[in-house]
Amino acid sequence: MTPQPVVLVVEDEPSFVEALTIGLTREGFRVVAVTDGFEAVQRFDEVQPDIVLLDVMLPRLSGIDVCRQLRKRSHVPIIMVTAKGAEIDTVVGLEVGADDYITKPYRMREVVARMRAVLRRSPADSAAASELSPGSLAVGDVVLDPDEHRVTIDGAEVSLPLKEFELLHLLLANAGRVLPRETLIDRVWGSDYVGDTKTLDVHIKRLRAKVEPDPTSPTRIITYRGLGYKFDRSKDA
């Protein structure tokens, strides 16, 4: 029997907590709910969730700060919940390590679809990393080991959250080829991803900040406007 995935719901509005608990339980999740950011950080290791549904506006510790702290110790999938139209919260949430976001008010069907899509890309529930390319990949001085979830650049280790790691893996496995935006989204977020393409753009920006000598003038991850992105292998010895 497949174990129930555990979702840590971090939400301070009782009506949302009740609706999520009922709806997600019906969909086969085991729900643990906390009502403020500080409690979420404190109980994270105890709960050991498979996924975190994290509201941005929280008492004591904001969702942005919670996401930042969780990313320092775990690659668990995190979906941020933001107020409608709060674009700044969305962008900041993605920049500190969230895997996806959803805006209030939301439909339960959309929440479940986003959660399942993210979970399918997590190491525990899929062979996503190994599907892209078996064994280590090396392009120039960038080396990626999918089995150890390890990236080094010129011998120095670089820490990447799951989605950035998967993006880099896919780009390296296809170095020299332009990968369409739709392909990147489909392979990394899943074919049923229902968000917009801003998520991909923010993750590429974060990835460049870690792998490019000068992120403002990228020479490794190249943008082809209207098409997609390519990992340039012209410097590959």
Side-chain angles (χ1 to χ4, degrees):
M1 183 176 180
T2 304
Q4 288 180 300
V6 178
V7 53
L8 178 62
V9 172
V10 191
E11 170 64 69
D12 67 320
E13 295 185 36
S15 60
F16 281 99
V17 173
E18 182 179 7
L20 286 168
T21 300
I22 294 172
L24 294 177
T25 299
R26 285 175 178 168
E27 292 292 334
F29 292 88
R30 184 164 71 84
V31 180
V32 177
V34 298
T35 56
D36 68 69
F38 184 78
E39 185 182 3
V41 174
Q42 291 293 102
R43 294 196 60 194
F44 179 78
D45 291 334
E46 168 201 336
V47 175
Q48 294 188 337
D50 297 293
I51 188 169
V52 178
L53 195 60
L54 176 62
D55 193 50
V56 170
M57 300 297 294
L58 294 168
R60 296 208 284 174
L61 195 66
S62 75
I64 300 296
D65 289 328
V66 172
C67 185
R68 186 180 287 113
Q69 291 197 30
L70 295 185
R71 271 293 164 261
K72 292 178 180 178
R73 65 210 234 202
S74 173
H75 295 301
V76 67
I78 298 173
I79 298 179
M80 302 290 295
V81 180
T82 69
K84 186 175 182 179
E87 182 174 349
I88 185 65
D89 289 338
T90 299
V91 173
V92 173
L94 292 171
E95 287 181 343
V96 298
D99 295 279
D100 200 357
Y101 68 93
I102 193 168
T103 56
K104 292 180 178 178
Y106 46 70
R107 295 176 300 170
M108 184 59 62
R109 181 181 299 177
E110 181 184 5
V111 175
V112 172
R114 296 281 189 96
M115 290 172 63
R116 286 180 173 158
V118 169
L119 280 171
R120 277 195 292 273
R121 306 304 302 175
S122 69
D125 293 308
S126 73
S130 60
E131 285 176 359
L132 298 177
S133 177
S136 296
L137 296 172
V139 178
D141 59 357
V142 180
V143 180
L144 181 147
D145 185 333
D147 294 329
E148 296 187 5
H149 192 93
R150 186 169 181 263
V151 174
T152 59
I153 299 178
D154 196 21
E157 188 161 350
V158 178
S159 178
L160 297 179
L162 178 61
K163 286 294 180 285
E164 293 172 41
F165 185 89
E166 291 184 345
L167 270 175
L168 181 60
H169 195 166
L170 189 54
L171 288 165
L172 288 176
N174 294 274
R177 295 174 53 199
V178 179
L179 293 180
R181 299 169 62 84
E182 295 78 10
T183 298
L184 290 164
I185 291 171
D186 179 67
R187 293 294 299 275
V188 175
W189 279 270
S191 58
D192 58 353
Y193 178 69
V194 290
D196 58 38
T197 59
K198 183 190 304 177
T199 297
L200 173 62
D201 297 331
V202 173
H203 279 75
I204 289 287
K205 179 182 176 182
R206 285 165 43 192
L207 184 57
R208 280 175 168 156
K210 297 168 185 174
V211 305
E212 294 282 359
D214 179 5
T216 62
S217 300
T219 58
R220 288 176 170 144
I221 302 174
I222 310 300
T223 301
Y224 286 79
R225 297 196 179 279
L227 293 174
Y229 297 95
K230 178 184 81 172
F231 196 96
D232 187 16
R233 67 180 313 146
S234 63
K235 298 180 178 63
D236 189 10

